[in-house]
């Protein structure tokens, strides 16, 4: 069956360290993958997109990698700050033919301690 | 530019009732998608509309329906509410419909929190 797996346990790190979040998928051939941030009681906010032919994407303190062989994306936040505390969702285009909807993982909650 | 607006933000219904949720997309966006978010299942795709046509539908029962108007505003309706329908319903707009080659980000509203008693 098709699955998108993100670590359901919260990730706790100290301020200034690098946070690394994982997104693994099974039985998908995504053309691209996106990462979103969601704060409690709010809608998700788009952060980054990476295509299947790209290995790495950066935006300020954020970096995303995409390994289609491992079927995995890693999301890094360098020099993490307490304001980065939120739930991070990965979402992928499920691939294949026809009309496809962006499919989301369940998210990983990041807590950055001051 | 105004963001995606969802109304109402919070509502409480009882089992068996029906509910209608509204979504106004970002100006110029013609694609509207609806998602249900629950703690156990995460974000689950309900349906997508583009130019008043349903393009895609998720794996939800027929009690869940939607429509889109000529001004791109969208509504979703849930009939015969069940306890399990309690969730955050999120609407997202995009300038292009989903599909290969359209990698556009989704712009989400703040959601409508539905509680079914």
């Amino acid at each position: 069956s098709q699955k998108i797996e993100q670590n359901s346990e919260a990730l706790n790190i100290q301020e200034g360290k690098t946070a690394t979040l994982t997104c693994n998928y099974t039985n998908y051939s995504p053309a691209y993958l996106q990462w979103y941030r969601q704060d409690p009681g709010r809608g998700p906010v788009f952060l980054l997109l990476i295509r299947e032919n790209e290995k790495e994407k950066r935006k300020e303190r954020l970096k995303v990698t995409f390994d289609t062989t491992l079927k995995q994306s890693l999301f890094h936040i360098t020099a993490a700050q307490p304001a980065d505390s939120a739930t991070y969702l990965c979402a992928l285009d499920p691939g294949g033919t026809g009309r496809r909807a962006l499919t989301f993982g369940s998210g990983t909650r990041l807590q950055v301690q001051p | 530019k105004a963001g995606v607006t969802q109304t109402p933000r919070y509502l409480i219904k009882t089992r068996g009732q029906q509910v209608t949720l509204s979504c106004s997309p970002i100006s110029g966006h013609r694609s509207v998608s609806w998602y249900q978010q629950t703690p156990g299942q995460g974000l689950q795709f309900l349906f997508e509309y583009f130019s008043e046509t349903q393009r895609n539908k998720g794996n939800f029962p027929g009690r869940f329906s939607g429509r889109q108007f000529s001004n791109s505003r969208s509504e979703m309706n849930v009939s015969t509410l069940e306890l399990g329908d309690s969730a955050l319903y999120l609407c997202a707009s995009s300038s292009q419909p989903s599909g290969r080659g359209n990698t556009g980000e989704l712009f989400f509203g703040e959601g409508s929190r539905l509680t079914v008693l």
Side-chain angles (χ1 to χ4, degrees), chain A residues 38 42 49 99-100 102, chain B residues 35 37 55 98 103 110:
Chain A
Q38 186 174 24
R42 311 292 294 273
L49 174 146
R99 296 164 178 172
R100 311 188 297 257
L102 201 61
Chain B
Y35 287 83
Q37 187 174 34
R55 279 183 54 84
S98 62
T103 58
E110 303 287 55

Side-chain angles (χ1 to χ4, degrees), chain B residues 8-62:
Chain B
R9 287 293 312 279
Y10 303 92
L11 65 168
I12 300 173
K13 294 285 187 178
T14 56
R15 278 182 299 175
Q17 288 187 309
Q18 72 155 12
V19 66
T20 299
L21 308 178
S22 179
C23 172
S24 293
I26 290 172
S27 178
H29 283 190
R30 292 192 292 159
S31 174
V32 173
S33 298
W34 288 89
Y35 287 83
Q36 180 196 65
Q37 187 174 34
T38 58
Q41 297 295 318
L43 271 154
Q44 300 287 309
F45 172 73
L46 281 158
F47 25 66
E48 178 193 5
Y49 288 87
F50 182 78
S51 294
E52 302 179 66
T53 301
Q54 187 180 86
R55 279 183 54 84
N56 207 346
K57 190 176 192 301
N59 194 24
F60 277 81

Side-chain angles (χ1 to χ4, degrees), chain A residues 31-32 34 36 38 41-46 49 51-52 89 93 95-96 98-106, chain B residues 9 35 37 41-43 45 48 54-56 88 90 98-111 113:
Chain A
Y32 61 87
Q34 299 180 359
Y36 288 77
Q38 186 174 24
R42 311 292 294 273
V45 174
F46 172 81
L49 174 146
R51 290 180 171 79
E52 60 182 332
L89 303 162
D93 162 62
R99 296 164 178 172
R100 311 188 297 257
L102 201 61
T103 304
F104 285 80
S106 55
Chain B
R9 287 293 312 279
Y35 287 83
Q37 187 174 34
Q41 297 295 318
L43 271 154
F45 172 73
E48 178 193 5
Q54 187 180 86
R55 279 183 54 84
N56 207 346
L88 180 67
L90 290 160
S98 62
R100 190 166 184 84
N102 296 330
T103 58
E105 65 195 85
L106 293 180
F107 293 84
F108 283 88
E110 303 287 55
R113 170 78 60 187

